[in-house]
Amino acid sequence: WVRKRRWIQHNPLEAVESLREPARARQMPTLEEVRRFVAHCPMRRQAFYWSAILLGLRNSELSRLRWDHLDLDKGEMRFDEGKVARVDVLPIVEPLLGILRQQHGVLGPASPAGVETSSSPSTLVFPKPPRYPVRRKDFEKVGLRRKDGGIHDFRRVLASVLPGLGCQPDTIRSILRKAPTDDTSARYMRIPFEVLKHGLTAYARAVFGNPAVCHECVTSGCETLHVVASCCEKDDPQGSGFPRKF
């Protein structure tokens, strides 16, 4: 500005080198690291972490998730408290669906009229979500530090893996519940529920490896839940390496 007004001929600061280092690319967990985290995830926090992994929920959204957002019979989530002001419908795929059903049953039966219990529709799914120090320790146990391991990083892994599974950009955007990039998409485009379910099921297969955990293992607290074992083979007589119920 001063030079434009010709008050000085040269800007003396142009010869000074910047001390600021260029921003480094943010690191995120690999798919193998996510698998390792799933395998060693503490049982009491499985539903919380797996909701982040298989639904792409942000930490703030997990803390606001209520039972009336979830239809465990249909296997879907209707969430209206995200960053975008709209109702998003996402499928809940196995094994997360089985774990949420188990947690809902453990919390208690439906409450009588006018009495709110821990599993009432208006109550939180995670009334006491793990705080940052607890989450940090959980990540560090599998060798993930905060810079390359956090709740939001699960969304980045989801967005990075889905293209390789055949998902189109609009499908990925819908799964991540991001705003449309243009007005036409916002007005007219609605990704079918089955397409979203196919993408998330394929992602769950990728995360849980081959084979995956069977529904009976999840709901019964099977000791081999985190170790792919023969107890999962009863759902997979063809030897495809993945339970048919998934």
Side-chain angles (χ1 to χ4, degrees):
W1 181 79
V2 175
R3 190 173 59 179
K4 285 183 179 180
R5 288 180 171 266
R6 298 183 179 180
W7 292 355
I8 59 175
Q9 291 184 345
H10 302 285
N11 183 358
L13 296 180
E14 290 180 348
V16 178
E17 295 184 3
S18 174
L19 298 178
R20 184 177 181 179
E21 296 181 359
R24 292 178 294 180
R26 184 184 178 91
Q27 295 180 330
M28 67 178 183
T30 64
L31 185 57
E32 185 59 40
E33 289 172 330
V34 175
R35 288 174 183 159
R36 190 167 71 245
F37 180 80
V38 165
H40 296 85
C41 175
M43 288 287 291
R44 61 187 177 277
R45 292 190 286 278
Q46 274 187 348
F48 178 84
Y49 286 128
W50 290 10
S51 295
I53 293 171
L54 295 180
L55 288 175
L57 293 175
R58 303 172 178 89
N59 186 53
S60 60
E61 294 170 342
L62 287 166
S63 64
R64 296 196 301 270
L65 186 66
R66 302 190 308 271
W67 286 114
D68 59 1
H69 289 138
L70 309 178
D71 188 329
L72 300 181
D73 294 327
K74 294 182 179 179
E76 67 180 32
M77 176 189 72
R78 301 182 67 88
F79 195 68
D80 58 355
E81 297 195 24
K83 293 178 68 175
V84 181
R86 65 165 184 260
V87 178
D88 294 300
V89 181
L90 278 183
I92 307 173
V93 298
E94 294 286 7
L96 175 60
L97 182 58
I99 283 193
L100 288 173
R101 285 172 175 167
Q102 182 189 34
Q103 176 162 321
H104 189 263
V106 169
L107 287 175
S111 60
V115 179
E116 187 171 277
T117 65
S118 56
S119 60
S120 298
S122 61
T123 57
L124 298 173
V125 177
F126 308 112
K128 295 182 179 180
R131 295 180 177 273
Y132 171 71
V134 176
R135 300 198 308 269
R136 183 181 62 187
K137 289 182 180 179
D138 289 340
F139 284 112
E140 289 179 348
K141 285 180 181 178
V142 295
L144 290 174
R145 301 291 177 179
R146 179 62 188 89
K147 289 184 178 180
D148 58 352
I151 295 298
H152 204 79
D153 287 316
F154 289 140
R155 287 173 58 82
R156 296 185 175 92
V157 177
L158 179 61
S160 301
V161 174
L162 285 176
L165 300 175
C167 288
Q168 299 298 314
D170 286 323
T171 302
I172 298 172
R173 192 202 69 245
S174 295
I175 289 176
L176 294 174
R177 294 165 293 108
K178 301 290 288 185
T181 55
D182 58 83
D183 187 63
T184 301
S185 297
R187 286 174 176 267
Y188 303 109
M189 185 174 292
R190 295 294 182 270
I191 305 299
F193 183 83
E194 289 302 319
V195 174
L196 301 178
K197 185 175 182 179
H198 176 78
L200 282 174
T201 300
Y203 179 67
R205 289 171 181 254
V207 170
F208 285 88
N210 190 14
V213 178
C214 66
H215 177 73
E216 284 79 4
C217 288
V218 173
T219 56
S220 65
C222 174
E223 292 297 328
T224 52
L225 172 64
H226 297 312
V227 179
V228 176
S230 58
C231 64
C232 294
E233 295 175 358
K234 59 181 177 289
D235 281 334
D236 187 28
Q238 290 83 14
S240 62
F242 205 83
R244 290 175 298 168
K245 291 185 178 182
F246 197 89

Short mmCIF file of all heavy atoms in Angstrom, two decimals, residues 1-12:
data_model
loop_
_atom_site.label_atom_id
_atom_site.label_comp_id
_atom_site.label_asym_id
_atom_site.label_seq_id
_atom_site.Cartn_x
_atom_site.Cartn_y
_atom_site.Cartn_z
N TRP A 1 0.83 -1.20 0.00
CA TRP A 1 0.00 0.00 0.00
C TRP A 1 0.87 1.25 0.00
O TRP A 1 0.62 2.20 -0.74
CB TRP A 1 -0.92 -0.03 1.22
CG TRP A 1 -1.84 1.15 1.32
CD1 TRP A 1 -3.00 1.35 0.64
CD2 TRP A 1 -1.67 2.29 2.15
NE1 TRP A 1 -3.58 2.53 0.99
CE2 TRP A 1 -2.78 3.15 1.93
CE3 TRP A 1 -0.69 2.69 3.07
CZ2 TRP A 1 -2.94 4.38 2.59
CZ3 TRP A 1 -0.85 3.90 3.74
CH2 TRP A 1 -1.97 4.74 3.49
N VAL A 2 1.92 1.23 0.82
CA VAL A 2 2.83 2.38 0.90
C VAL A 2 3.59 2.52 -0.41
O VAL A 2 3.80 3.63 -0.91
CB VAL A 2 3.80 2.23 2.09
CG1 VAL A 2 4.82 3.36 2.10
CG2 VAL A 2 3.03 2.19 3.41
N ARG A 3 4.00 1.37 -0.97
CA ARG A 3 4.74 1.43 -2.23
C ARG A 3 3.84 1.88 -3.37
O ARG A 3 4.28 2.59 -4.29
CB ARG A 3 5.36 0.07 -2.54
CG ARG A 3 6.35 0.10 -3.70
CD ARG A 3 7.07 -1.20 -3.87
NE ARG A 3 6.14 -2.30 -4.11
CZ ARG A 3 6.54 -3.56 -4.30
NH1 ARG A 3 7.83 -3.84 -4.25
NH2 ARG A 3 5.66 -4.49 -4.51
N LYS A 4 2.58 1.45 -3.36
CA LYS A 4 1.65 1.89 -4.39
C LYS A 4 1.48 3.40 -4.38
O LYS A 4 1.29 4.04 -5.42
CB LYS A 4 0.30 1.20 -4.21
CG LYS A 4 0.28 -0.25 -4.65
CD LYS A 4 -1.11 -0.84 -4.51
CE LYS A 4 -1.13 -2.29 -4.98
NZ LYS A 4 -2.49 -2.87 -4.84
N ARG A 5 1.53 3.96 -3.21
CA ARG A 5 1.42 5.42 -3.10
C ARG A 5 2.74 6.14 -3.40
O ARG A 5 2.81 7.35 -3.35
CB ARG A 5 0.94 5.81 -1.70
CG ARG A 5 -0.53 5.46 -1.47
CD ARG A 5 -0.96 5.85 -0.07
NE ARG A 5 -2.41 5.72 0.09
CZ ARG A 5 -3.28 6.70 -0.09
NH1 ARG A 5 -2.84 7.91 -0.46
NH2 ARG A 5 -4.57 6.51 0.06
N ARG A 6 3.78 5.31 -3.68
CA ARG A 6 5.09 5.82 -4.05
C ARG A 6 5.73 6.63 -2.92
O ARG A 6 6.46 7.59 -3.16
CB ARG A 6 5.01 6.66 -5.32
CG ARG A 6 4.53 5.84 -6.52
CD ARG A 6 4.51 6.67 -7.78
NE ARG A 6 4.07 5.87 -8.92
CZ ARG A 6 3.95 6.32 -10.16
NH1 ARG A 6 4.24 7.60 -10.42
NH2 ARG A 6 3.54 5.53 -11.11
N TRP A 7 5.43 6.23 -1.71
CA TRP A 7 6.11 6.86 -0.58
C TRP A 7 7.49 6.24 -0.38
O TRP A 7 8.37 6.87 0.17
CB TRP A 7 5.27 6.70 0.69
CG TRP A 7 3.99 7.50 0.65
CD1 TRP A 7 3.60 8.37 -0.32
CD2 TRP A 7 2.96 7.50 1.63
NE1 TRP A 7 2.37 8.92 -0.03
CE2 TRP A 7 1.95 8.40 1.19
CE3 TRP A 7 2.77 6.85 2.84
CZ2 TRP A 7 0.79 8.65 1.91
CZ3 TRP A 7 1.61 7.09 3.55
CH2 TRP A 7 0.63 7.98 3.09
N ILE A 8 7.61 4.96 -0.83
CA ILE A 8 8.92 4.30 -0.82
C ILE A 8 9.10 3.62 -2.16
O ILE A 8 8.11 3.30 -2.86
CB ILE A 8 9.05 3.28 0.33
CG1 ILE A 8 7.95 2.20 0.17
CG2 ILE A 8 8.94 3.94 1.69
CD1 ILE A 8 8.08 1.09 1.18
N GLN A 9 10.36 3.36 -2.54
CA GLN A 9 10.63 2.72 -3.82
C GLN A 9 10.64 1.19 -3.68
O GLN A 9 10.23 0.48 -4.59
CB GLN A 9 11.98 3.20 -4.37
CG GLN A 9 11.98 4.66 -4.81
CD GLN A 9 13.30 5.06 -5.44
OE1 GLN A 9 14.31 4.35 -5.30
NE2 GLN A 9 13.31 6.19 -6.11
N HIS A 10 11.11 0.66 -2.53
CA HIS A 10 11.21 -0.78 -2.33
C HIS A 10 10.69 -1.14 -0.94
O HIS A 10 10.85 -0.37 0.01
CB HIS A 10 12.66 -1.25 -2.48
CG HIS A 10 13.27 -0.91 -3.81
ND1 HIS A 10 12.95 -1.57 -4.97
CD2 HIS A 10 14.18 0.05 -4.14
CE1 HIS A 10 13.63 -1.05 -5.98
NE2 HIS A 10 14.38 -0.05 -5.50
N ASN A 11 10.09 -2.31 -0.87
CA ASN A 11 9.63 -2.82 0.42
C ASN A 11 10.77 -3.59 1.07
O ASN A 11 11.19 -4.63 0.56
CB ASN A 11 8.42 -3.75 0.23
CG ASN A 11 7.87 -4.24 1.55
OD1 ASN A 11 8.39 -3.93 2.62
ND2 ASN A 11 6.80 -5.02 1.47
N PRO A 12 11.32 -3.11 2.18
CA PRO A 12 12.47 -3.78 2.80
C PRO A 12 12.14 -5.18 3.30
O PRO A 12 13.04 -6.01 3.48
CB PRO A 12 12.85 -2.84 3.94
CG PRO A 12 11.61 -2.07 4.23
CD PRO A 12 10.90 -1.92 2.93
#
